């Protein structure tokens, strides 16, 4: 019984365990549902978080791509397409041009019969040139053998012999001693001067300084501490034409009353026989174009409101007409617009020949003191010269012609003689180009002109002075241009301007080297090219393309376009930093949990 009871108890327990009440079943089912729902909610929350993280990452990377496109591609492209094109230039080299002053070698030959005197003069001349501000003396001592010297009886023969043995080139000069001279020094029309046995080195240096080298002009060009010499040189430079690479020389014949007089003159032949040979000597450093024209029905006296005053005299006409010196500038002003020089861009030198009618002839110019002006050519010719413009010649008709006209008042023929007019025109050209030497020296004589052409050493002086002037002017122009281009960064510098500046700089350096070597002719060509290139670069119109569109105006135009785009980009940087900081923090937390 007891065994049976145990088995029953066990069976009853099992039955109790397998047989549950309905309430208990429902409670158990609800617990299972809650667990499953909790697991689904966790999965959905994790999936939502991942989706948000993916969306934020896409937003961040899209923003980064937008920033890269704007900053890496857009801004450089905008900067490149809006920048001003500027060729690279040698700024520092051009600024340093003044550090090496202009120096010129002057080659001088010296001949004396006595070797001792030759050595003394050479030593003293070298000492005087040691402190010269431009020139370095290259002195050569000349000699002739005794047999040849014994056969020489005239200074001209001695000069020819020396020139044959020691031929001179552009810029050179020779001192030749001759025992029979009225003065200490006699300067010829060639590159030579005769010195007496008593002439001192000081006198020789004065001739070189004042006449041959004309240092007072160079002091005005380059500047000097000697104020008196500088002012004098500047005044002479103001009274001469500024040298240009090309000139138009226009010879104009004015006949105000063609119905009363017929003027006979072959102006073209006169230009070919007189003006052209003269200017061809100066063509080593500048070019000339000669033109002639006739103008009728133009009265320069009436146009200028400068009525000449009738003055009684002892001539057959019993009077002449006085033209006041103060009225001459008004004549030029009224006449200039009628000469037709607007067809060329080159500077023009006017040589006007005015033939007054007999009713107003002869015309004479009176100075401010009331006295008649004097001119190098006498006769019936009156003239005046205007610096940097030209000159006017009053070719008065012959007295007999005007006497016949006054008696009959009929048509008259007026003949102009070239030997009266052309010397005056040549004199005016010498004044315009500053070839006239107005510096008197005691006991020194200058040989008068024997030909139409200027003296040979005058041409050398003209070339030398203007070569230094062109080099100095080209240097000043380049430095001014470089200063302008360096200060205003929005000026366009195209390839043509850059090439002109580079060429001018190179030619300046080469011209200064040739001057130092004593090669004056080559230096003149280089200086002219440098001056032309520098002027062409300075006045090139392409540099004005953006002169009125500075950087401030560019920024004022583009900032309103870029600012609405750049503000979100700037603010998005903060969001991007927060994103990557948060991503870095979450990554570190997961690492710790694991």
């Amino acid at each position: 019984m007891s065994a049976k009871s145990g088995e029953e108890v066990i069976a009853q327990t099992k039955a109790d365990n397998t047989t549950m009440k309905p309430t208990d079943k429902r409670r158990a089912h609800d617990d299972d549902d809650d667990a499953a729902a909790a697991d689904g909610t966790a999965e959905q929350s994790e999936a939502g978080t991942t989706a948000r993280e993916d969306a934020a990452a896409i937003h961040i990377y899209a923003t980064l791509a937008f920033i890269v496109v704007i900053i890496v591609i857009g801004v450089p492209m905008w900067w490149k397409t809006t920048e001003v094109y500027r060729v690279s230039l040698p700024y520092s080299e051009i600024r340093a041009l003044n550090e090496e002053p202009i120096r010129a070698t002057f080659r001088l030959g010296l001949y004396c019969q006595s070797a001792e005197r030759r050595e003394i003069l050479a030593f003293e001349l070298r000492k005087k040139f040691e402190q010269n501000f431009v020139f370095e003396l290259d002195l050569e001592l000349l000699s002739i053998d005794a047999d040849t010297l014994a056969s020489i009886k005239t200074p001209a023969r001695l000069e020819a012999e020396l020139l044959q043995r020691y031929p001179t080139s552009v810029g050179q000069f020779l001192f030749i001693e001759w025992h029979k001279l009225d003065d200490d020094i006699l300067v010829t029309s060639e590159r030579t001067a005769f010195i007496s046995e008593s002439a001192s080195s000081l006198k020789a240096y004065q001739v070189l300084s004042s006449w041959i080298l004309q240092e007072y002009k160079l002091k005005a060009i380059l500047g000097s501490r000697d104020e008196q010499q500088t002012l004098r040189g500047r005044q002479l430079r103001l009274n001469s034409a500024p040298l240009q690479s090309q000139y138009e020389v226009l010879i104009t014949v004015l006949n105000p009353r063609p119905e009363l007089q017929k003027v006979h003159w072959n102006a073209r032949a006169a230009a070919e026989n007189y003006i052209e040979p003269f200017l061809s000597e100066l063509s080593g450093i500048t070019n000339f174009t000669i033109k002639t024209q006739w103008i009728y029905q133009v009265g320069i006296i009436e146009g200028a409101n400068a009525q000449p005053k009738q003055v009684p005299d002892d001539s057959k006409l019993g009077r002449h007409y006085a033209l006041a010196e103060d009225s001459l500038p008004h004549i030029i002003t009224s006449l200039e617009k009628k000469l037709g020089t607007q067809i060329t861009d080159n500077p023009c030198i006017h040589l006007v020949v005015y033939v007054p009618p007999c009713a107003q002839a002869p015309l004479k110019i009176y100075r401010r003191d009331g006295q008649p002006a004097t001119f190098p050519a006498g006769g019936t010719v009156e003239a005046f010269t205007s610096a940097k413009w030209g000159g006017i010649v009053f070719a008065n008709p012959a007295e007999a012609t005007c006497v016949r006209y006054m008696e009959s008042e009929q048509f008259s023929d007026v003949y102009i003689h070239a030997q009266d007019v052309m010397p005056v025109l040549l004199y005016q050209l010498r004044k315009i180009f500053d070839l006239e030497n107005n510096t008197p020296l005691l006991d020194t004589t200058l040989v008068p002109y024997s030909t139409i052409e200027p003296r040979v050493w005058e041409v050398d002086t003209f070339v030398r002075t203007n070569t230094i002037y062109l080099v100095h002017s080209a240097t000043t122009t380049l430095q001014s241009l470089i200063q302008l281009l360096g200060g205003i960064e929005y000026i366009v510098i195209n390839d043509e301007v850059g090439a002109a500046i580079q060429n001018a700089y190179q030619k300046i350096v080469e011209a200064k080297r040739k001057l130092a070597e004593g090669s004056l002719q080559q230096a003149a060509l280089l200086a002219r090219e440098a001056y032309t290139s520098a002027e062409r670069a300075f006045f090139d119109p392409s540099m004005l393309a953006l002169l009125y569109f500075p950087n401030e105006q560019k920024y004022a135009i583009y900032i309103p376009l870029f600012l609405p785009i750049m503000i979100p980009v700037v603010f998005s940087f903060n969001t991007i930093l927060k994103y990557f900081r948060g991503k870095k923090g979450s990554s570190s937390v997961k690492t710790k949990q694991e």
Side-chain angles (χ1 to χ4, degrees):
M1 178 155 176
S2 59
K4 184 179 179 180
S5 300
E7 293 176 352
E8 290 178 352
V9 170
I10 293 170
Q12 184 65 38
T13 302
K14 291 180 179 179
D16 292 340
N17 291 334
T18 57
T19 304
M20 297 179 68
K21 296 181 180 179
T23 303
D24 295 336
K25 290 181 179 181
R26 284 195 301 272
R27 187 179 294 111
H29 180 71
D30 291 339
D31 292 340
D32 294 338
D33 290 341
D34 291 340
D39 293 339
T41 302
E43 292 177 357
Q44 291 178 359
S45 175
E46 184 177 355
T49 301
T50 304
R52 285 194 299 272
E53 289 179 354
D54 293 340
I58 292 173
H59 176 73
I60 292 299
Y61 286 113
T63 304
L64 286 174
F66 186 70
I67 292 174
V68 169
V69 169
I70 290 179
I71 296 178
V72 178
I73 299 176
V75 172
M77 183 179 297
W78 165 77
W79 187 267
K80 186 67 177 177
T81 55
T82 57
E83 73 174 351
V84 177
Y85 183 73
R86 293 168 65 92
V87 176
S88 60
L89 299 174
Y91 289 93
S92 58
E93 291 84 351
I94 293 177
R95 293 191 184 99
L97 282 175
N98 284 338
E99 296 179 1
E100 183 180 354
I102 300 175
R103 301 289 296 177
T105 297
F106 174 59
R107 291 192 170 94
L108 177 66
L110 177 62
Y111 170 77
C112 296
Q113 294 184 8
S114 171
E116 182 181 359
R117 172 170 166 76
R118 185 167 59 241
E119 293 292 341
I120 293 174
L121 283 179
F123 174 78
E124 293 177 350
L125 285 173
R126 289 191 181 101
K127 291 293 290 183
K128 293 184 183 302
F129 271 92
E130 286 180 356
Q131 304 299 326
N132 197 282
F133 70 106
V134 173
F135 295 104
E136 294 181 1
L137 182 62
D138 182 7
L139 184 59
E140 181 182 4
L141 302 182
L142 313 180
S143 61
I144 298 178
D145 59 275
D147 295 337
T148 304
L149 183 60
S151 64
I152 296 176
K153 304 300 180 182
T154 63
R157 179 71 179 86
L158 177 61
E159 179 187 32
E161 183 67 28
L162 286 171
L163 290 177
Q164 183 179 359
R165 295 185 177 213
Y166 307 96
T168 59
S169 60
V170 178
Q172 295 183 355
F173 199 77
L174 300 183
F175 273 138
I176 304 172
E177 185 184 69
W178 185 256
H179 56 280
K180 295 180 181 180
L181 287 179
D182 295 334
D183 294 316
D184 287 341
I185 297 180
L186 175 65
V187 181
T188 70
S189 297
E190 301 297 326
R191 298 186 178 101
T192 59
F194 292 99
I195 61 175
S196 66
E197 295 177 346
S198 60
S200 64
S201 61
L202 177 60
K203 180 65 66 176
Y205 181 78
Q206 288 177 346
V207 170
L208 293 176
S209 177
S210 299
W211 287 5
I212 308 304
L213 301 178
Q214 297 186 1
E215 293 181 359
Y216 57 90
K217 295 181 183 178
L218 301 180
K219 290 179 181 179
I221 296 172
L222 304 176
S224 172
R225 296 179 181 178
D226 191 346
E227 296 183 0
Q228 183 177 358
Q229 291 288 336
T230 302
L231 292 175
R232 176 179 172 230
R234 287 177 180 173
Q235 185 63 35
L236 290 175
R237 296 296 300 180
L238 291 174
N239 292 334
S240 60
L243 191 71
Q244 303 294 330
S245 59
Q246 180 73 36
Y247 283 102
E248 300 280 346
V249 179
L250 181 60
I251 302 174
T252 304
V253 183
L254 296 181
N255 185 3
R257 301 295 297 273
E259 74 280 3
L260 297 179
Q261 62 181 9
K262 182 179 181 181
V263 179
H264 299 270
W265 188 40
N266 193 339
R268 182 174 182 178
E272 292 176 352
N273 295 329
Y274 289 86
I275 304 298
E276 186 175 348
F278 180 88
L279 294 179
S280 64
E281 296 295 323
L282 307 181
S283 59
I285 196 168
T286 186
N287 296 322
F288 299 94
T289 302
I290 305 173
K291 298 179 181 179
T292 61
Q293 66 175 352
W294 287 72
I295 298 179
Y296 300 92
Q297 300 290 350
V298 174
I300 62 176
I301 305 300
E302 294 80 1
N305 294 323
Q307 290 299 327
K309 180 181 178 182
Q310 183 173 327
V311 179
D313 59 18
D314 297 333
S315 65
K316 293 181 180 180
L317 294 172
R319 82 307 180 258
H320 64 268
Y321 290 88
L323 192 61
E325 186 179 16
D326 295 336
S327 63
L328 300 181
H330 303 290
I331 292 177
I332 293 177
T333 302
S334 64
L335 180 63
E336 187 171 13
K337 58 185 178 182
K338 302 174 184 177
L339 296 179
T341 56
Q342 297 83 2
I343 59 176
T344 179
D345 294 331
N346 297 322
C348 186
I349 297 176
H350 298 280
L351 299 177
V352 180
V353 179
Y354 177 72
V355 186
C358 285
Q360 292 182 339
L363 277 175
K364 294 187 177 182
I365 300 174
Y366 274 65
R367 300 194 302 264
R368 291 182 177 89
D369 58 3
Q371 298 298 321
T374 57
F375 298 93
T380 59
V381 175
E382 299 279 329
F384 69 94
T385 306
S386 175
K388 305 180 184 180
W389 185 84
I392 296 179
V393 175
F394 296 121
N396 294 307
E399 186 179 48
T401 301
C402 289
V403 169
R404 288 193 300 268
Y405 172 80
M406 297 302 293
E407 291 176 351
S408 60
E409 294 187 359
Q410 294 180 357
F411 187 84
S412 59
D413 292 312
V414 178
Y415 293 89
I416 297 178
H417 301 287
Q419 62 268 26
D420 294 333
V421 174
M422 299 312 296
V424 180
L425 295 181
L426 293 176
Y427 173 79
Q428 290 177 336
L429 286 176
R430 290 190 181 96
K431 295 291 290 183
I432 291 170
F433 290 107
D434 200 13
L435 295 176
E436 284 292 313
N437 198 316
N438 299 318
T439 306
L441 293 177
L442 187 63
D443 297 329
T444 304
T445 306
L446 190 60
V447 173
Y449 288 105
S450 58
T451 61
I452 295 174
E453 296 83 1
R455 301 180 180 95
V456 179
W457 61 266
E458 285 181 337
V459 176
D460 292 351
T461 302
F462 175 81
V463 172
R464 183 188 299 107
T465 302
N466 285 286
T467 297
I468 295 175
Y469 166 76
L470 291 179
V471 171
H472 178 73
S473 180
T475 302
T476 304
T477 301
L478 277 190
Q479 290 178 339
S480 300
L481 182 58
I482 288 299
Q483 184 179 1
L484 177 67
L485 296 178
I488 305 178
E489 298 179 353
Y490 48 83
I491 293 182
V492 177
I493 309 176
N494 58 27
D495 295 332
E496 290 77 10
V497 174
I501 294 176
Q502 291 278 6
N503 184 63
Y505 169 72
Q506 294 174 0
K507 299 305 178 184
I508 288 173
V509 174
E510 293 177 9
K512 293 172 73 172
R513 186 177 69 252
K514 291 298 180 181
L515 279 173
E517 295 174 357
S519 303
L520 181 58
Q521 193 168 7
Q522 297 179 13
L525 297 176
L526 293 169
R528 183 172 67 178
E529 188 174 351
Y531 177 81
T532 303
S533 297
E535 292 292 311
R536 184 172 64 250
F538 191 85
F539 293 104
D540 192 284
S542 64
M543 292 193 297
L544 302 177
L546 295 179
L547 188 58
Y548 299 102
F549 192 72
N551 293 330
E552 293 79 3
Q553 187 172 354
K554 181 172 66 175
Y555 297 148
I557 292 175
Y558 287 109
I559 284 178
L561 298 178
F562 283 95
L563 194 60
I565 300 175
M566 296 304 296
I567 289 178
V569 171
V570 173
F571 282 111
S572 63
F573 278 107
N574 188 28
T575 304
I576 294 171
L577 291 175
K578 288 182 179 180
Y579 171 77
F580 283 106
R581 286 175 181 174
K583 188 175 182 181
K584 183 178 180 181
S586 62
S587 299
S588 61
V589 170
K590 289 181 180 180
T591 302
K592 290 180 180 180
Q593 289 178 353
E594 291 175 357

